[in-house]
Every structure is written in C-alpha cells, then in structure tokens.
C-alpha cells in the first residue's frame, strides 16, 4: 500500500510559479512511475505530466516548456514545478503512483491540492 500526500498549491498571479510536492510512504517509491493530473470545475481529469522510475518524462502540450516534473527518491517525493502560470491552469492537482511493470496493478492517488491562478 502506498500513501500519497500532495502539497504546495495556492493562489498565484498569472505569470507566477508554484512547486507541487507528492510525498509517498509505505512502499519502495523508486520503482513507481508518477503522474500528475489536474481537474478543473466542470471538466474531465487531465493527465499533465509523467515521470517513470527511470526518470523519463512526458507532458501534455499545453504545459510543455512551462512545467517540469522531477523526483527525489531519497525523499520519496515527486514534484511538479510550474512556471509562467496561466488562469487556465487553475484546477485541483492530483498525483498518482503505479508500477508500470505490473499491468492491471494498483494505482495510488493523493487527495489533491488546489491551484488557483488569478489576479
């Protein structure tokens, strides 16, 4: 069982930055891939970024060049660094951890952290 806790959300002005954290406990974090998702009011949950256990990364087009996903396995934590934030980035952000080598295996979600981009 893996427990995930997100933090770092808040209110920021357009053009500002935030760093979201996803802290994991209860498992060998390094073997898990981590996704960051977001869900805006009235919209479906959207995959924003992925980092694999081998540190390969991928991003949705709308955040490329502005967001960076990274991880610190020694701290059992994944991060989403968000720069040049836009009002359309406003959403609840969730992290998910899973083992890509275990097809159909469990997926673990955090509780979410609110990001609001507004002047």
């Amino acid at each position: 069982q893996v427990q995930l806790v997100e933090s770092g959300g808040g209110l920021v002005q357009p053009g500002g930055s935030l760093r979201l954290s996803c802290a994991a406990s209860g498992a060998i974090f390094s073997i898990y891939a981590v996704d960051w998702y977001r869900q805006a009011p009235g919209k479906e949950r959207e995959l924003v970024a992925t980092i694999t256990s081998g540190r390969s990364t991928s991003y949705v087009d709308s955040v490329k060049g502005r967001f960076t996903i990274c991880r610190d396995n020694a701290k059992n934590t994944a991060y989403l660094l968000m720069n040049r934030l836009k009002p359309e980035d406003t959403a609840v952000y969730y992290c998910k951890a899973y083992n890509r080598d275990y097809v159909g295996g469990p997926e673990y979600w955090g509780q979410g952290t609110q990001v609001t981009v507004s002047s």
Side-chain angles (χ1 to χ4, degrees):
Q1 191 77 5
V2 178
Q3 294 80 42
L4 301 177
V5 177
E6 298 104 332
S7 61
L11 173 63
V12 63
Q13 292 186 343
S17 299
L18 284 174
R19 185 183 78 166
L20 305 184
S21 299
C22 173
S25 61
I28 303 173
F29 178 68
S30 60
I31 70 172
Y32 287 86
V34 176
D35 294 341
W36 281 98
Y37 284 78
R38 65 186 178 187
Q39 187 165 22
K43 295 188 176 181
E44 293 188 354
R45 193 169 292 190
E46 173 188 42
L47 176 61
V48 175
T50 296
I51 185 165
T52 68
S53 58
R55 301 180 187 270
S56 296
T57 59
S58 60
Y59 302 89
V60 68
D61 285 347
S62 60
V63 308
K64 284 181 180 178
R66 300 188 298 122
F67 290 11
T68 301
I69 188 171
C70 56
R71 63 192 300 159
D72 184 341
N73 290 336
K75 295 182 178 180
N76 284 355
T77 302
Y79 302 95
L80 186 66
L81 312 178
M82 306 187 296
N83 296 315
R84 291 185 281 136
L85 283 160
K86 304 176 181 181
E88 51 263 44
D89 296 316
T90 295
V92 178
Y93 284 72
Y94 301 88
C95 62
K96 182 182 80 173
Y98 56 102
N99 186 342
R100 294 180 68 181
D101 294 328
Y102 183 9
V103 178
E107 299 178 341
Y108 305 99
W109 290 85
Q111 82 290 350
T113 185
Q114 175 71 48
V115 171
T116 303
V117 184
S118 175
S119 55

